[in-house]
Amino acid sequence: MYKFSSKLRLFAIVCMVLGLIGLVFGFLSVPGTVEEANEILAAQEAHHSGGEAHHEDGAAHHEEGAEHHEEANFVDEVKGEPGYSERAMAGDKDMGHAAHEDGEHMEHVLHQMQTKPWSATFIAAFFFMMIALGTLVFYAIQNAAQAGWSPLLFRVMEGITAYLLPGSVIVLLVVIFAGEHFYPWMNHELVAEDEILQGKSGYLNFPFWLIRGIIYVAGWNLYRYFAVKNSRDLDTAEGLQPYKNIFKYSIYFLAFFIVTESTMAWDWFMSMTPHWYSTLFAWYIFASIIVSAVTVIAIVTVSLKAIGQLEFVNDSHLHDLAKFMFGFSVFWTYLWFGQFMLIWYANIPEEVTYFILRIQEYNPIFFGMLILNFVFPILILMNSDFKRVSWFVVIAGIIILVGHYIDIFLLVMPSTVGPYGSFGITELAALLFFLGLFIFTVGMGLSKVSLRPKNNPFLVESEHFHY
Amino acid sequence: MSSHYEAPIREPLILGEKSYHDISVDVGAPILGKANKSWWIVFSIALVAFLWGLGCIVYTVSTGIGVWGLNKTIGWAWDITNFVWWVGIGHAGTLISAVLLLFRQKWRMAINRSAEAMTIFAVVQAGLFPIIHMGRPWLAYWVLPIPNQFGSLWVNFNSPLLWDVFAISTYLSVSLVFWWTGLLPDFAMIRDRTKSPFQQKIYGILSFGWSGRAKDWQRFEEVSLVLAGLATPLVLSVHTIVSFDFATSVVPGWHSTIFPPYFVAGAIFSGFAMVQTLLLVMRKVVSLENYITIVHIEFMNKVILLTGGIVTVAYLTEYFIGWYSGVPYENYTYLSFGAATGPYWWAFWALIICNLIVPLTLWVKKWRRNILWTFIVALVINIGMWFERFDIIVICLSKDRLASSWSMFSPTFVDIGVFVGTIGFFFVLFLLYARTFPVIAQAEVKSILKSSGARYKRIRESGKD
């Protein structure tokens, strides 16, 4: 039986308190008026000593406009329209109506700045929630596939998924209360003058969107509840009935998940830029979810083993987890490349805005993420011997997790705050808060039952697993 | 606990009172025996179809592509449909031999040999189409970046059609090497068992002097694992590149980012359906029911269910995003309301019924363990996946951006003849293979006899009491 150490608990609580203070600071320090926003921009301007065009105020922006367009090379000369890059830069909320008067522009900038703490919270909240959710999916896959190697790790996975309930509820609350900060289609005035958004209102309307969100969260948590309950019943059960239940639930959950994951990705991420669409988008996010989850399973397993709680887990189990980290990292890269290359290649204006914004405004991390998420894992985890060395796996794991935090950051920040995204106190505080909550909940989840499951029909295979 | 241990809850993969010797005898029987009358009949039919197809190909190349039903709007139809269909079928073989090896699935051992053979023969069929659909196939070698007298005029590496060349040729060569490596111990077994000097000579050459020493086996295993690790990304990338042929374009319905993984899932889906179609017949004809058991069939059906589910989600995504995009041109793509009600409604509904609705019956355990029903579903999926490619290609092209260029496609007898010809050629190769190659990887099956054989499982169970 694992005992949640008081030191770790204290650490988690300190993280949460510090994070909460930082978050409050972040929400209070956003500019309240256009003047304040202007001051911030001016300060940044001085700091960058005449940096890029978009950091200047509205008037200067317009003067440099023409030149900027030529550089961007995405101007629709025939229609004489300002060009998609310009609009993408100004944020997608402006798309579809030529609202580029000075005042309106600054109001828009203000709005983006006010959105920043919301985005910081959402990124961190989703990042930890997706770890719990991905672990649940991996757990369901292991059960449905009747894996012979992993049953010894089931309690670890169940412990990690303890975070799903608080995590998913928080994420749902964040997206609900962020409202128009994230989702321009919730703004009735904007929709009234935007025909494209009107066309989508059959799907993108608040009540339907809310109901969908509740269904996702409820469905995922219900599976988690019943799977864990049956898994614990199995310890004392006479027959295999609880095992059969988990098997059945896992399959239904996976079917439910593949659909809800897609719609979740559309609802919570894609609709941040409601003019933009990509069919692969949802599966791409899934790749991030699953690779981060397997990584955390590996890290938690190594940590618990290091303090002598998982004596029965051997290095072959670790080897298998590391292989999944490796494989899913490559899979993520495959989907990243598939989406990026196809949009880059065809270069259709309404699609390409998504990447123009990210490449022009977030260049170092947009491509740097590929080094963290692909190059490092493939080099570090290629060797079979290295995959059995715990500290090696942990280092690879930390790199992967940082990389996928950046991935989520890049999904959200450019779409919500445009070029004004950065990693500062608010982002760090949000990370700290949810890290603390994650450690606390998972620690509590792990400490409730014996880490060694009983009576699983594949347990003996798992105990003697050697690869 | 011995390494032969296996959870009792797992169903046995080898039925009957089999010993190592029995496996050699059962696998060797078709090669060491003589072909019966029905083999000759089926072979003749396949050969005739092949020759007819060959005639159609010769006619096309010598007369011109105009003998096909293509028009100025629809420049790709049956040719590329068949190409993608055959490539897709070829994917199950590599999936079974490589991906299932990485996932340590013991049940793959009874089916991998035939699945790989199917891969190779299907890729050969697929490889015909990129050549014969060319207007000037005799200049096909220009697709290769070879130094030449035109001031070293090279190819443009930006075209997915060129990537296809590299993808398909690499895929065929790697699959061939992977397959042949696995065959070495089995050819050696035939070499050692046959009485005929002619066969001894042939299988002696084919088996490369395999003597089965410990060191050989160790390296054999390592090579298999490395090849499996390479073949897995290869199999994903090959069909991905095939999907790029469409997805990199700006044609509504073709330009879709989900195509890479969705085509791969579809390829596995159709490939497994073809494996079912072939193996259900083969196990009966060659009497391999003890090796290709109902458990294998059920597992394959589960893979079909899984990949079919993924494809279904992709269909829904395509349909949804087509609507969501708000782009009016998306109203006529292969998965749109326009397609469902337009002139190609029958092709649309063929796809939905064959790929989406009929495979749903496999959720019922009784049906997915029913051999006849499995066979029917597998056939239906093969047809459905042909329609999927036809719909993607033809429906999307038939109503593109300019209404003045809208057109319909109807195949000529040459289009159909070439397709029939490739089916004939495929079966010619497969039937020859079934008579001359060990259709089950006996060396691998022997390695699981003691862990998963029915007899040994029973012995282990009774020892416990």
Side-chain angles (χ1 to χ4, degrees):
Chain A
M1 186 86 87
Y2 166 71
K3 199 175 168 301
F4 191 22
S5 80
S6 54
K7 267 186 197 164
L8 195 59
R9 193 191 315 233
L10 188 66
F11 173 74
I13 292 172
V14 169
C15 280
M16 278 193 277
V17 171
L18 284 178
L20 212 54
I21 295 171
L23 272 180
V24 170
F25 167 77
F27 274 95
L28 291 180
S29 62
V30 294
T33 61
V34 172
E35 286 71 38
E36 281 176 40
N38 260 326
E39 273 168 38
I40 293 174
L41 284 184
Q44 276 177 358
E45 185 65 15
H47 187 70
H48 287 290
S49 58
E52 300 123 79
H54 55 265
H55 279 166
E56 290 162 27
D57 64 345
H61 198 137
H62 268 274
E63 282 164 30
E64 283 206 5
E67 192 187 326
H68 194 78
H69 290 158
E70 269 167 50
E71 276 170 31
N73 200 24
F74 286 99
V75 190
D76 192 333
E77 302 285 356
V78 182
K79 290 185 193 162
E81 283 177 4
Y84 275 97
S85 69
E86 165 73 8
R87 289 189 187 179
M89 218 77 74
D92 288 306
K93 286 163 211 173
D94 271 1
M95 282 177 62
H97 63 119
H100 279 284
E101 295 306 310
D102 286 0
E104 270 191 60
H105 176 72
M106 273 321 291
E107 242 171 63
H108 180 70
V109 171
L110 173 70
H111 189 233
Q112 289 185 324
M113 286 179 167
Q114 286 172 339
T115 301
K116 202 169 165 270
W118 285 104
S119 301
T121 314
F122 179 54
I123 293 164
F126 185 82
F127 179 71
F128 285 100
M129 189 278 273
M130 80 174 184
I131 290 171
L133 180 61
T135 305
L136 193 67
V137 175
F138 191 72
Y139 176 76
I141 292 173
Q142 295 302 309
N143 274 302
Q146 303 186 312
W149 67 278
S150 54
L152 278 181
L153 300 172
F154 279 176
R155 283 289 141 82
V156 176
M157 298 185 208
E158 287 163 14
I160 296 172
T161 57
Y163 180 74
L164 184 66
L165 182 60
S168 57
V169 171
I170 292 174
V171 166
L172 186 63
L173 290 176
V174 170
V175 290
I176 291 172
F177 285 102
E180 282 180 37
H181 283 296
F182 284 175
Y183 306 111
W185 53 266
M186 287 187 187
N187 183 337
H188 295 295
E189 290 168 26
L190 188 68
V191 175
E193 49 186 287
D194 189 322
E195 277 180 29
I196 296 178
L197 291 190
Q198 285 161 19
K200 298 182 186 195
S201 61
Y203 185 77
L204 293 181
N205 62 71
F206 187 75
F208 187 28
W209 176 88
L210 182 66
I211 291 168
R212 288 198 303 268
I214 293 169
I215 290 174
Y216 312 150
V217 171
W220 302 336
N221 280 297
L222 273 179
Y223 166 69
R224 199 263 161 189
Y225 174 79
F226 283 108
V228 171
K229 183 176 173 292
N230 275 288
S231 164
R232 291 185 185 159
D233 288 351
L234 192 59
D235 275 8
T236 51
E238 283 294 312
L240 283 179
Q241 195 51 43
Y243 161 76
K244 287 176 184 159
N245 290 343
I246 302 176
F247 180 75
K248 211 182 289 171
Y249 298 157
S250 299
I251 289 164
Y252 292 136
F253 166 69
L254 288 171
F256 175 78
F257 176 78
I258 191 174
V259 177
T260 51
E261 196 275 333
S262 294
T263 48
M264 178 273 286
W266 303 334
D267 286 358
W268 294 352
F269 291 94
M270 206 162 83
S271 79
M272 285 174 172
T273 48
H275 282 201
W276 182 81
Y277 49 87
S278 165
T279 40
L280 184 57
F281 193 67
W283 294 4
Y284 167 70
I285 291 182
F286 170 70
S288 236
I289 292 177
I290 193 81
V291 69
S292 313
V294 175
T295 303
V296 171
I297 297 172
I299 291 178
V300 173
T301 306
V302 168
S303 320
L304 288 173
K305 197 172 158 57
I307 56 168
Q309 291 290 339
L310 291 175
E311 310 260 292
F312 41 87
V313 171
N314 61 40
D315 63 353
S316 288
H317 294 104
L318 187 62
H319 184 215
D320 265 24
L321 283 172
K323 273 193 278 190
F324 274 112
M325 286 161 64
F326 174 87
F328 284 131
S329 288
V330 177
F331 179 66
W332 175 88
T333 316
Y334 163 67
L335 294 186
W336 179 89
F337 179 75
Q339 179 167 270
F340 172 73
M341 194 281 277
L342 288 176
I343 290 177
W344 168 82
Y345 193 111
N347 204 9
I348 298 175
E350 63 253 41
E351 284 184 5
V352 84
T353 49
Y354 186 83
F355 286 113
I356 290 178
L357 183 61
R358 280 158 179 80
I359 290 173
Q360 294 190 344
E361 298 297 328
Y362 295 83
N363 197 303
I365 56 167
F366 182 74
F367 290 109
M369 162 175 86
L370 287 180
I371 299 174
L372 300 178
N373 288 344
F374 176 61
V375 180
F376 275 129
I378 204 170
L379 292 179
I380 297 175
L381 295 175
M382 180 72 88
N383 188 310
S384 191
D385 295 333
F386 291 176
K387 285 195 280 269
R388 295 173 187 275
V389 182
S390 10
W391 63 270
F392 236 96
V393 175
V394 171
I395 287 178
I398 290 169
I399 293 173
I400 291 173
L401 288 178
V402 171
H404 285 281
Y405 172 79
I406 296 176
D407 190 21
I408 303 301
F409 185 89
L410 283 172
L411 288 175
V412 177
M413 274 292 175
S415 298
T416 52
V417 306
Y420 305 104
S422 62
F423 190 87
I425 293 174
T426 324
E427 285 74 16
L428 188 67
L431 255 187
L432 267 184
F433 175 75
F434 286 103
L435 176 70
L437 188 64
F438 184 81
I439 293 176
F440 189 81
T441 333
V442 172
M444 296 297 271
L446 283 169
S447 64
K448 276 181 192 138
V449 279
S450 162
L451 289 181
R452 191 192 183 101
K454 283 197 204 104
N455 296 337
N456 184 300
F458 300 107
L459 202 60
V460 186
E461 271 188 29
S462 181
E463 279 167 349
H464 300 277
F465 172 61
H466 177 76
Y467 184 73
Chain B
M1 186 72 54
S2 77
S3 62
H4 289 315
Y5 175 81
E6 189 179 85
I9 195 173
R10 294 197 196 276
E11 289 179 78
L13 296 173
I14 301 166
L15 302 178
E17 301 287 312
K18 296 294 178 191
S19 65
Y20 289 141
H21 180 69
D22 296 333
I23 296 175
S24 300
V25 171
D26 292 343
V27 174
I31 308 169
L32 303 173
K34 283 228 181 321
N36 60 16
K37 204 166 147 195
S38 42
W39 185 89
W40 282 108
I41 293 172
V42 178
F43 182 75
S44 310
I45 296 171
L47 194 65
V48 168
F50 168 43
L51 292 174
W52 169 250
L54 206 59
C56 288
I57 291 174
V58 171
Y59 176 56
T60 307
V61 172
S62 55
T63 313
I65 287 292
V67 300
W68 290 357
L70 302 173
N71 54 48
K72 274 194 260 179
T73 295
I74 300 170
W76 277 354
W78 275 53
D79 47 354
I80 300 301
T81 300
N82 298 335
F83 164 69
V84 182
W85 188 72
W86 277 119
V87 178
I89 283 174
H91 275 52
T94 316
L95 188 100
I96 289 168
S97 51
V99 179
L100 296 186
L101 175 71
L102 295 184
F103 283 113
R104 300 191 290 261
Q105 297 298 306
K106 291 175 179 173
W107 58 274
R108 62 172 256 289
M109 289 172 178
I111 54 173
N112 61 352
R113 175 65 42 72
S114 296
E116 285 170 57
M118 188 197 77
T119 291
I120 287 156
F121 304 147
V123 174
V124 166
Q125 308 314 318
L128 288 172
F129 286 100
I131 312 261
I132 62 171
H133 91 305
M134 289 180 175
R136 299 175 187 83
W138 47 91
L139 296 182
Y141 70 97
W142 283 16
V143 304
L144 302 173
I146 323 170
N148 53 55
Q149 315 95 308
F150 300 106
S152 231
L153 179 68
W154 267 33
V155 288
N156 184 342
F157 285 96
N158 290 341
S159 167
L161 301 184
L162 183 68
W163 309 339
D164 269 345
V165 174
F166 302 130
I168 303 291
S169 54
T170 310
Y171 186 51
L172 182 62
S173 21
V174 171
S175 302
L176 206 55
V177 170
F178 196 10
W179 188 49
W180 206 275
T181 321
L183 273 162
L184 294 179
D186 289 13
F187 279 145
M189 182 273 284
I190 303 289
R191 171 198 67 196
D192 298 343
R193 288 185 53 78
T194 182
K195 297 271 184 329
S196 132
F198 176 72
Q199 279 193 329
Q200 267 169 2
K201 182 101 185 139
I202 295 288
Y203 288 99
I205 294 169
L206 294 181
S207 60
F208 294 179
W210 176 266
S211 56
R213 294 176 305 164
K215 199 74 194 171
D216 296 346
W217 276 115
Q218 188 210 338
R219 289 181 176 137
F220 176 90
E221 296 275 332
E222 274 177 34
V223 165
S224 307
L225 207 56
V226 170
L227 279 178
L230 290 173
T232 303
L234 188 65
V235 74
L236 261 77
S237 65
V238 168
H239 219 69
T240 292
I241 288 170
V242 170
S243 83
F244 285 167
D245 294 350
F246 311 102
T248 54
S249 74
V250 292
V251 176
W254 281 13
H255 180 71
S256 172
T257 50
I258 209 171
F259 269 28
Y262 149 59
F263 266 52
V264 173
I268 300 165
F269 183 54
S270 68
F272 264 83
M274 189 56 114
V275 175
Q276 292 277 36
T277 322
L278 296 174
L279 286 188
L280 288 176
V281 178
M282 184 188 249
R283 70 195 280 275
K284 196 93 192 152
V285 175
V286 198
S287 321
L288 294 173
E289 285 102 330
N290 282 325
Y291 302 100
I292 302 168
T293 66
I294 197 76
V295 179
H296 293 81
I297 293 165
E298 190 186 6
F299 283 161
M300 284 194 274
N301 276 335
K302 284 182 176 174
V303 177
I304 289 176
L305 256 184
L306 171 69
T307 48
I310 294 173
V311 170
T312 302
V313 173
Y315 289 165
L316 298 176
T317 304
E318 284 276 12
Y319 199 97
F320 173 77
I321 299 283
W323 169 81
Y324 180 86
S325 72
V327 176
Y329 303 111
E330 294 278 340
N331 294 345
Y332 305 109
T333 60
Y334 73 108
L335 278 173
S336 63
F337 185 72
T341 55
Y344 280 111
W345 62 270
W346 46 273
F348 174 90
W349 288 107
L351 172 146
I352 299 293
I353 292 166
C354 296
N355 291 347
L356 211 155
I357 294 170
V358 174
L360 284 180
T361 55
L362 296 179
W363 278 89
V364 183
K365 183 168 182 159
K366 221 173 92 186
W367 288 356
R368 70 171 177 259
R369 286 180 89 105
N370 181 319
I371 292 174
L372 181 66
W373 184 245
T374 301
F375 188 75
I376 294 170
V377 171
L379 268 184
V380 166
I381 292 172
N382 282 321
I383 296 167
M385 286 306 290
W386 190 89
F387 271 106
E388 184 197 294
R389 279 66 178 253
F390 177 82
D391 289 8
I392 290 175
I393 295 171
V394 173
I395 296 184
C396 294
L397 285 179
S398 71
K399 286 192 174 179
D400 201 348
R401 290 197 160 83
L402 279 179
S404 59
S405 313
W406 285 4
S407 172
M408 290 290 288
F409 170 83
S410 52
T412 64
F413 80 94
V414 193
D415 281 303
I416 300 166
V418 173
F419 182 44
V420 171
T422 54
I423 294 174
F425 191 12
F426 177 81
F427 278 103
V428 165
L429 292 171
F430 198 83
L431 285 165
L432 286 174
Y433 148 82
R435 301 271 334 134
T436 50
F437 280 53
V439 293
I440 282 184
Q442 53 92 24
E444 293 200 55
V445 168
K446 283 175 184 169
S447 74
I448 58 163
L449 177 65
K450 289 193 174 168
S451 64
S452 309
R455 175 170 162 223
Y456 289 90
K457 278 181 99 80
R458 203 171 52 243
I459 293 171
R460 229 176 7 244
E461 280 305 291
S462 58
K464 236 194 252 173
D465 302 327

